[in-house]
Amino acid sequence: FQAVAPVFVSSFSDIWGRRPVILVCITAGLCTNVGLAVSRTYWLIVFLRCVLASSLAPLVSITAASVGDFTTRRNRGSLTGLTTGFTLIGQGIAPFLGAVMDTAWGWPAIFWFSAAFNGTILLLSFVLVPETHRGYVGNLGIKPKSFIHYSPYLLYLGSRLEPYDENKVAKRDHKYQPWKPLMLSYKPDILSILLPCSILFALWTISQTTLSVHFSKVYHMRVIIIGVCFFAPGMASIFGTVISGRVLDYLYRKRKAVYDATYKDLAPQDRSPFNIVKVRLLTIPFAGLFAAMASIVFGWCMDKHTNIAPILIMSFLITFFVMFPLNTAVSVLIDMYPQFSGGATALNNLFRCG
């Protein structure tokens, strides 16, 4: 559900706009968390967890698409990385908070806390999150036509926003076509990007699962101590996304400057196209190599039951370097398919989580 749902839900944001779909997803997550907190039947808990994944997982690709709406190739990498970094803050502290609440009040407390947190985020999103889809607000300087795209925050901007004009907004799709992003996976260039990223993500997921199981069964750690250990990969995910974004922007500026200097005497129509995909993918071989090396050391330390310090260091490094290709995949998909970036970025989610 976490893999498949974003393809279908995020595609709605390419048609109806980002803001309404974001609010609906957060509302569904709030209601589902309340349902999980009061559920005591196994089948119902499993069902609601599937619903929760279907509700909240699309937010990752929709927020990435929102960033793509108001960024250019020059700054998209760092801002996408910053957004992903904020998204992963929860991943850095959630294992510890979950362990504390489970130990103190039992597992339902986790979902009560999540419901309260969802409610807070829903209120903040309703007030502050603007519509970013260029088919509704152009370059974000146009007042949206429909109330479902209107954020109360826009009242602060007042007359600085231009009145809605059909000629000043981008053309948008009016047909719901969730299979459109899926068709991209048949293209060799897209497959060659998503497949290595999904393999590296699988490597990272295996290392995280192994970490919790190994610490519990071999080192006999308490749940709360295991939660503290997850701060290492959690913080690495934040640092990795932010730093990888800055690296992507640096490489783009450097290669673009070389390109402009090479073709400065030619008219734009006579120049060969700038290969943005090649520039974006420069980090993947190096990041993949370092992640593989760290995983070998990680596995050896696990097998030999060494001190936990090198295990946590390797877990940090695996996570840090895996964030590079994940951030790269999102940026390059938005670069290539800005017209349906919500569905395109959801395709990345399908490959890495499926």
Side-chain angles (χ1 to χ4, degrees):
F1 288 90
Q2 184 176 342
V4 177
V7 176
F8 295 92
V9 178
S10 298
S11 295
F12 280 117
S13 74
D14 293 328
I15 303 171
W16 297 340
R18 318 296 184 201
R19 175 178 164 83
V21 180
I22 287 174
L23 294 179
V24 168
C25 286
I26 298 175
T27 303
L30 168 62
C31 297
T32 308
N33 272 310
V34 172
L36 283 163
V38 299
S39 298
R40 296 296 181 271
T41 309
Y42 181 76
W43 70 265
L44 183 58
I45 292 173
V46 172
F47 171 74
L48 290 177
R49 284 291 289 118
C50 295
V51 175
L52 186 64
S54 301
S55 303
L56 298 182
L59 290 173
V60 176
S61 54
I62 296 174
T63 52
S66 295
V67 173
D69 290 335
F70 60 83
T71 56
T72 64
R73 290 176 173 181
R74 187 175 183 84
N75 64 354
R76 183 167 294 144
S78 59
L79 290 177
T80 300
L82 186 63
T83 305
T84 307
F86 269 96
T87 305
L88 293 173
I89 287 176
Q91 185 173 299
I93 63 175
F96 173 72
L97 292 178
V100 169
M101 286 182 276
D102 181 41
T103 303
W105 302 293
W107 64 265
I110 298 173
F111 295 109
W112 282 120
F113 174 82
S114 298
F117 193 73
N118 268 183
T120 304
I121 296 300
L122 178 61
L123 178 62
L124 292 174
S125 299
F126 178 80
V127 175
L128 299 176
V129 174
E131 180 57 63
T132 61
H133 195 299
R134 288 181 173 268
Y136 292 97
V137 294
N139 63 353
L140 274 68
I142 297 175
K143 188 178 296 185
K145 182 179 181 181
S146 174
F147 76 95
I148 64 172
H149 301 113
Y150 196 90
S151 166
Y153 169 73
L154 299 183
L155 294 172
Y156 171 74
L157 300 177
S159 59
R160 283 176 284 182
L161 294 175
E162 298 180 35
Y164 182 82
D165 187 344
E166 193 76 34
N167 297 319
K168 293 184 178 180
V169 298
K171 290 186 68 176
R172 63 181 185 273
D173 243 329
H174 294 279
K175 292 182 179 180
Y176 177 59
Q177 298 175 310
W179 56 87
K180 198 171 182 180
L182 292 174
M183 298 304 293
L184 298 178
S185 60
Y186 290 99
K187 295 188 175 183
D189 53 346
I190 298 299
L191 192 62
S192 64
I193 295 170
L194 295 179
L195 195 57
C197 292
S198 63
I199 293 173
L200 287 170
F201 186 81
L203 170 67
W204 174 70
T205 305
I206 292 170
S207 72
Q208 300 305 287
T209 305
T210 306
L211 197 66
S212 58
V213 174
H214 198 76
F215 281 174
S216 175
K217 291 186 176 181
V218 177
Y219 290 83
H220 307 292
M221 290 183 178
R222 291 181 296 156
V223 173
I224 191 169
I225 302 300
I226 295 175
V228 172
C229 291
F230 270 90
F231 273 116
M235 293 302 103
S237 63
I238 299 171
F239 294 142
T241 51
V242 173
I243 293 174
S244 66
R246 292 185 176 276
V247 171
L248 286 175
D249 283 352
Y250 169 77
L251 290 173
Y252 175 82
R253 289 194 300 268
K254 186 176 180 180
R255 292 303 178 98
K256 189 65 167 62
V258 173
Y259 172 84
D260 291 338
T262 303
Y263 295 101
K264 63 180 179 180
D265 297 327
L266 295 178
Q269 64 271 19
D270 298 327
R271 300 180 180 183
S272 59
F274 180 67
N275 194 338
I276 182 65
V277 176
K278 181 180 179 180
V279 175
R280 293 296 194 206
L281 299 182
L282 286 173
T283 61
I284 290 184
F286 300 101
L289 176 62
F290 286 120
M293 292 168 60
S295 67
I296 293 172
V297 179
F298 177 85
W300 183 87
C301 292
M302 286 285 195
D303 183 58
K304 300 301 180 181
H305 302 165
T306 66
N307 185 278
I308 67 169
I311 295 176
L312 293 180
I313 292 172
M314 291 305 110
S315 178
F316 180 96
L317 292 176
I318 292 171
T319 306
F320 179 83
F321 287 112
V322 166
M323 293 303 113
F324 277 72
L326 295 185
N327 196 20
T328 298
V330 173
S331 298
V332 76
L333 285 171
I334 296 175
D335 288 335
M336 297 173 71
Y337 302 100
Q339 68 276 20
F340 54 97
S341 54
T345 52
L347 188 63
N348 176 50
N349 198 78
L350 174 64
F351 268 75
R352 66 175 185 157
C353 297

